[in-house]
Amino acid sequence: MRALPDPARLADGIRAGDRAVLARAITLIESTRPDHQAVARDLVQRLLPQTGRAIRIGITGVPGAGKSTTIDTFGSNLTAAGHRVAVLAVDPSSSRTGGSILGDKTRMARLSVDANAFVRPSPSSGTLGGVAARTRETMLLCEAAGFDVILVETVGVGQSETAVADMTDLFLVLMLPGAGDELQGIKKGILELADIIAVNKADGDGLRRARAAAAEYRAALHIMAPRSAVWAPPVMTISGLANEGLDTLWEQIGAFRAKTGASGDFEARRRAQGVKWMWAMLQDRFTGRLKRDPKLKARLPAIEADVAAGRLSALVAADEIATVLGL
Ligand code: GDP
C-alpha cells in the first residue's frame, strides 16, 4: 500500500498552483477511504486562510439550455482577460448512472485545454449531500490554488440547485427561449434562487423568442420576493454560441459583487453558508452512522417496510429508531 500523502506538502503544492498536486488532492477529497478523508480534512483546514478570494458562481439550466457551450465561451473570455477559472459540477445522478455528464471535459473543448482553466467533473459517487460537500471542498482547494472565478454547474432538476446555491455567491439561471407555455413549467423555486437570469440562444431565429421570454421572466420576477434586499435579479439575453451578451453578464456579476459587498449581504451569505454546511455535514455523518449502527441495521428493513406499507406511522417509526439508539 502506498504511504498516505503528507498534507503539508500537498498544501504547499496547491499554494504554488501545481495542477498535478491539485488533482491528486481532489482525488483524496473524493475518496471514501477514512484515512484519505482525514488527510483531505487536514488539507482543507490548512488551506482555509488562502480561500474565499474568488467569486463563486453557480450555474443551472435544463439539459440543452446551453450550459457547457456558455461556460466554455464565458470561461474563455475570462481567461483571455487574465482570470483563472475553475469549473466544477454537482451531478447527483452520476452516482446512479456511474458516469458524470456535468463538467465533462469533452463538453468544454476550449476551456479544457486552457492553461488558465481547470475543469473537473462531478464527484461520481455518494448522496447529493456527499457530492455537494466534496464539490465545495474542491472549490476551496481551487481558490487556494489561485483560481479567482469558480463556476459550479448543476443540472436544472431536483434538489441539486439548492445545494449549489448554498455554496456559491451568485446563482445564474440559464433559460431557453420560448414563451408562455414553457414559463408555466418553470419551477418557482428556481426563480427564487436566481440572482441573474440569462435567456440563452438569443441569436439568429431565436433572438425574437429570447427577447419575448426575457420579458415574461421579468414580469414573473416582479411578483416575487427578491433573494436580497439590495439586488433585483436582472433578466438578460445572451448567446453562448455566438459570444453575445457575455460581457454584459460579467458586468452584472461585478455589479452584484459591488452592491451586495457594500451592503454586507455578500459576506453575510457566506457566513450563513458556512454554518449551514457544518450542519449539513454533521447530518450526513449522523445519517451514515445511524445506517451502519449494528443494533439498528437488523431492525431497519422491517421498520422501513412497515412504514412503506402504512402499518406504522413515520413518527412512531422515528421514535422507535431513536429508542433503539438510546437517543
Ligand atoms: P447543456 O446541456 O445545458 O450543457 O447544453 P449544451 O451547451 O450542450 O447545448 C445544447 C445545444 O444547444 C447544443 O447543440 C448547442 O450547440 C446549442 N446551443 C448552446 N448555446 C447556444 C446558443 O447560444 N445559441 C444557439 N443557437 N445554440 C446554442
Side-chain angles (χ1 to χ4, degrees):
M1 202 176 79
R2 281 177 60 181
L4 277 176
D6 172 15
R9 288 189 57 188
L10 286 175
D12 286 342
I14 289 172
R15 285 191 201 102
D18 186 327
R19 300 170 72 98
V21 176
L22 176 62
R24 215 178 316 140
I26 296 174
T27 310
L28 284 179
I29 280 182
E30 292 176 357
S31 169
T32 52
R33 274 176 50 176
D35 55 346
H36 284 171
Q37 286 178 354
V39 175
R41 273 200 294 276
D42 184 344
L43 178 63
V44 172
Q45 183 64 33
R46 279 169 197 270
L47 291 172
L48 223 45
Q50 281 82 46
T51 65
R53 285 191 287 261
I55 175 97
R56 305 164 177 172
I57 303 167
I59 302 182
T60 194
V62 295
K67 292 181 296 301
S68 51
T69 307
T70 303
I71 291 172
D72 201 32
T73 311
F74 185 56
S76 300
N77 292 351
L78 292 176
T79 60
H83 293 285
R84 296 189 65 211
V85 179
V87 181
L88 311 177
V90 172
D91 178 9
S93 70
S94 58
S95 59
R96 287 195 299 276
T97 59
S100 160
I101 298 172
L102 291 180
D104 186 337
K105 296 185 179 191
T106 58
R107 293 167 66 234
M108 294 161 201
R110 269 175 298 165
L111 269 193
S112 60
V113 295
D114 189 327
N116 289 311
F118 183 79
V119 181
R120 181 85 185 185
S122 177
S124 61
S125 67
T127 58
L128 168 60
V131 168
R134 288 195 285 277
T135 301
R136 187 172 192 270
E137 278 156 27
T138 297
M139 171 175 89
L140 298 177
L141 296 193
C142 289
E143 289 183 351
F147 291 93
D148 65 325
V149 181
I150 314 279
L151 304 175
V152 186
E153 181 188 13
T154 193
V155 78
V157 286
Q159 289 296 304
S160 57
E161 284 99 349
T162 313
V164 171
D166 279 345
M167 71 174 86
T168 49
D169 302 315
L170 179 153
F171 200 61
L172 168 66
V173 179
L174 290 190
M175 296 286 191
L176 283 165
D181 305 350
E182 270 167 67
L183 201 63
Q184 308 295 322
I186 298 295
K187 286 172 291 174
K188 194 164 159 262
I190 295 288
L191 290 184
E192 276 168 357
L193 288 178
D195 295 302
I196 298 180
I197 291 177
V199 181
N200 191 32
K201 308 197 184 185
D203 49 45
D205 293 346
L207 186 59
R208 203 182 47 78
R209 283 193 304 136
R211 284 186 181 148
E216 298 223 13
Y217 289 126
R218 264 179 221 120
L221 278 177
H222 228 73
I223 54 170
M224 280 172 40
R227 208 175 157 202
S228 154
V230 296
W231 181 257
V235 181
M236 42 189 304
T237 55
I238 61 166
S239 169
L241 196 62
N243 199 0
E244 275 166 26
L246 298 181
D247 288 351
T248 314
L249 174 61
W250 184 242
E251 281 165 24
Q252 290 285 358
I253 291 169
F256 173 89
R257 175 78 185 84
K259 268 205 170 157
T260 58
S263 70
D265 286 35
F266 190 88
E267 285 305 324
R269 197 184 271 191
R270 278 196 178 180
R271 282 195 298 269
Q273 286 174 341
V275 175
K276 205 164 166 182
W277 273 97
M278 180 193 79
W279 283 107
M281 259 165 304
L282 200 60
Q283 218 163 13
D284 235 43
R285 275 229 213 161
F286 265 116
T287 313
R289 183 181 290 184
L290 223 112
K291 288 189 172 161
R292 284 190 305 272
D293 185 276
K295 284 193 298 259
L296 196 59
K297 221 172 174 174
R299 303 267 308 269
L300 260 186
I303 297 178
E304 269 190 8
D306 282 348
V307 173
R311 287 187 294 269
L312 190 65
S313 89
L315 200 62
V316 173
D319 263 350
E320 212 167 290
I321 291 168
T323 310
V324 172
L325 293 171
L327 291 174

